[in-house]
Amino acid sequence: MVLALKLMGQPSVMRMATRAVVDKGFAMKEFQLEIDSGVVRFRVSGKVEADHMIVEMGEGDRKREQRIPITGPVTIGAGLPGFFKGRALVVGDVFRFTMFDPSILSHKEMLIKVAGKTVISVKGIKYPAFRLETKVWGQTLVFWLDEKGVLLKEEGFMGLTLVRSDEAHAPLDVEGSAGADFYDAAAIPVKQALKRAREITYLKLKVPGLRDTGFNLAVFNEGRQKLSGDVLEILQEKGPFSVPLAKSAVDVARHVKPFLSPEITIQSDDPALVEKAREIAGDDKDSRVMARKLMGWVYENIKKRPVTSVPDALAVLETRVGDCNEHAVLLTALLRATGIPARECAGIVYTDHRFFYHAWTEAYLGRWISMDATLNQMPTDATHIKLVHGGLDKQAELMALMGKLQLEIMDYTYDSID
């Protein structure tokens, strides 16, 4: 798949290739995924074994392995056309799958219903077609198959539409086909302008309809955020939060120990990354001072540029290029490499009369403290609204809010912090 996008005003092309081995029932046995953004190339592969999947990333000494528990057969998107091709469909049929997404290394139950039969036009030709519907991450996905089960059209997230073409026509002018800016399309406008947004320490908003989205609201009552009814308040963290570095894993609170461990895209135990973290931190033992040094280094040394790929800390360290996702994943890895528990966060932040989807980091300094390596803020201003924390599988949950989130600014202040 070749996807041409405009990101932050810059044209960007992502090339993604998926290869899957499936059994006769189209259950996945093996997969390979490669994403090429023109800046970085992300590769991951996996194999199903009994009640788990073994996923591998990297090569040689840098090869990473992750075991993902599964129950029963799993399906991959690349296998769905084969599953439906030639299958006799009847309106009202329902198909249940455990769908695996290799880009976020996660699987989820999916029900696909044959919702109706209609006639659609593709490149001026009319086809009798079945309309199939499903929900993925809280968003409705609709696709149309002809009477032989061949995919004709698909409509999904953010209004993106795929239409069947042929080998001759599909590549034409792909490089220049990017339309509206993807960041702009996903942005959430607000009526009231926030002046000096980077200095705001308290923000109060009305978030109507949030409870009807099916989104997990627990994060809105954690740390610096508080949700009461449909009113959300964010209070920037106040000091002091300077603590000595833990001498050993025993000294780290049980609930934050997982945020010291390396992950498949947060390679905090890689020798090159550990060496760089120690070089930046120097001889300091105060975790707050170390965290600020690491954040400042990422801010100064990573070129701000949109990258359409899976954020990978080691790749960012090598390429020195990325957007907020790359800044967040690298800072998270550097913090863990120095013994500071850290986690990625995703949410929205205010810029230029709108809230944009954004990623940053939290470091555990006796309590969770927000850090934004893209903006060089610690703690972050109160317009940073956290929606999830965790890896790509958690961040994918944001899809449930896209196009549904509404915000109304009620109050804000610039109280000084210690």
Side-chain angles (χ1 to χ4, degrees):
M1 180 174 74
V2 180
L3 184 62
L5 295 171
K6 190 182 293 181
L7 300 173
M8 303 166 100
Q10 298 183 32
S12 181
V13 177
M14 179 181 74
R15 292 172 171 84
M16 182 166 67
T18 308
R19 177 181 182 269
V21 177
V22 299
D23 64 17
K24 292 182 178 180
F26 292 92
M28 186 182 72
K29 293 301 178 187
E30 299 177 15
F31 80 89
Q32 295 176 356
L33 170 70
E34 182 173 313
I35 301 175
D36 188 349
S37 69
V39 177
V40 63
R41 182 171 293 177
F42 175 82
R43 298 185 184 94
V44 66
S45 62
K47 180 182 291 188
V48 174
E49 294 188 1
D51 61 350
H52 63 274
M53 186 187 308
I54 299 177
V55 175
E56 291 184 348
M57 193 182 85
E59 299 176 353
D61 295 340
R62 288 184 165 179
K63 181 176 286 187
R64 297 272 160 174
E65 185 177 289
Q66 180 176 331
R67 297 168 71 90
I68 301 175
I70 57 174
T71 55
V74 293
T75 306
I76 193 168
L80 281 182
F83 176 86
F84 284 108
K85 191 172 182 178
R87 186 178 294 269
L89 298 177
V90 177
V91 175
D93 282 350
V94 176
F95 301 90
R96 183 185 298 270
F97 302 97
T98 300
M99 188 65 63
F100 176 75
D101 186 335
S103 66
I104 59 174
L105 302 180
S106 179
H107 56 281
K108 201 172 185 69
E109 290 294 317
M110 176 190 290
L111 290 177
I112 299 179
K113 181 179 180 180
V114 183
K117 195 170 184 182
T118 185
V119 175
I120 68 168
S121 179
V122 177
K123 293 188 176 297
I125 302 175
K126 293 185 176 181
Y127 297 88
F130 289 96
R131 175 189 170 101
L132 282 70
E133 297 180 357
T134 187
K135 277 191 175 292
V136 184
W137 303 111
Q139 297 281 351
T140 299
L141 177 67
V142 182
F143 51 103
W144 290 263
L145 307 178
D146 70 12
E147 293 176 317
K148 295 182 180 179
V150 175
L151 181 63
L152 299 172
K153 183 178 177 181
E154 180 180 317
E155 290 182 355
F157 303 117
M158 304 301 300
L160 291 176
T161 300
L162 304 178
V163 179
R164 188 170 185 81
S165 185
D166 55 46
E167 187 174 358
H169 291 89
L172 296 180
D173 201 31
V174 160
E175 298 285 346
S177 64
D181 193 293
F182 191 77
Y183 282 102
D184 287 340
I188 305 159
V190 287
K191 293 180 180 179
Q192 183 179 356
L194 293 175
K195 298 179 181 180
R196 297 164 30 221
R198 301 289 74 87
E199 300 173 32
I200 292 174
T201 57
Y202 170 78
L203 179 63
K204 183 178 183 180
L205 310 103
K206 190 172 184 180
V207 193
L210 185 61
R211 298 181 186 278
D212 299 327
T213 62
F215 188 76
N216 186 350
L217 303 182
V219 71
F220 293 105
N221 279 303
E222 293 181 0
R224 64 188 212 159
Q225 300 186 161
K226 179 183 178 182
L227 180 67
S228 179
D230 59 359
V231 174
L232 177 64
E233 295 176 281
I234 303 97
L235 183 64
Q236 186 183 51
E237 304 96 316
K238 293 182 181 293
F241 41 80
S242 181
V243 295
L245 193 65
K247 295 184 177 64
S248 70
V250 176
D251 299 324
V252 180
R254 181 180 301 176
H255 68 285
V256 299
K257 280 185 181 179
F259 302 104
L260 275 173
S261 301
E263 298 178 32
I264 198 164
T265 58
I266 303 177
Q267 306 94 332
S268 53
D269 60 347
D270 182 88
L273 202 146
V274 171
E275 182 180 352
K276 176 56 69 175
R278 289 174 177 169
E279 174 192 321
I280 298 166
D283 296 328
D284 279 299
K285 299 302 179 184
D286 186 308
S287 57
R288 181 188 184 186
V289 174
M290 293 169 65
R292 281 196 179 277
K293 282 186 172 182
L294 295 170
M295 180 185 69
W297 186 91
V298 175
Y299 174 75
E300 293 289 344
N301 290 274
I302 305 304
K303 183 179 179 181
K304 278 66 177 166
R305 175 179 165 185
V307 173
T308 49
S309 186
V310 175
D312 172 353
L314 205 51
V316 182
L317 183 63
E318 293 171 351
T319 63
R320 306 289 174 94
V321 172
D323 53 36
C324 60
N325 294 291
E326 282 70 34
H327 283 67
V329 75
L330 178 56
L331 178 56
T332 301
L334 290 170
L335 287 163
R336 292 186 186 183
T338 59
I340 300 174
R343 62 191 184 189
E344 296 172 90
C345 298
I348 53 178
V349 67
Y350 180 87
T351 302
D352 191 24
H353 301 281
R354 292 172 290 179
F355 280 86
F356 290 87
Y357 284 90
H358 189 58
W360 60 95
T361 303
E362 285 181 338
Y364 191 77
L365 307 174
R367 54 196 167 98
W368 289 109
I369 303 298
S370 57
M371 306 175 65
D372 189 336
T374 311
L375 298 175
N376 201 26
Q377 282 192 322
M378 176 186 171
T380 64
D381 63 74
T383 76
H384 285 68
I385 303 173
K386 186 172 73 167
L387 302 176
V388 295
H389 58 249
L392 292 172
D393 56 332
K394 294 294 184 182
Q395 294 173 36
E397 295 175 8
L398 292 180
M399 294 292 185
L401 293 179
M402 287 192 171
K404 302 175 184 178
L405 198 56
Q406 301 176 54
L407 302 173
E408 179 184 331
I409 295 170
M410 301 174 69
D411 191 18
Y412 62 99
T413 63
Y414 301 98
D415 298 337
S416 61
I417 61 169
D418 297 328

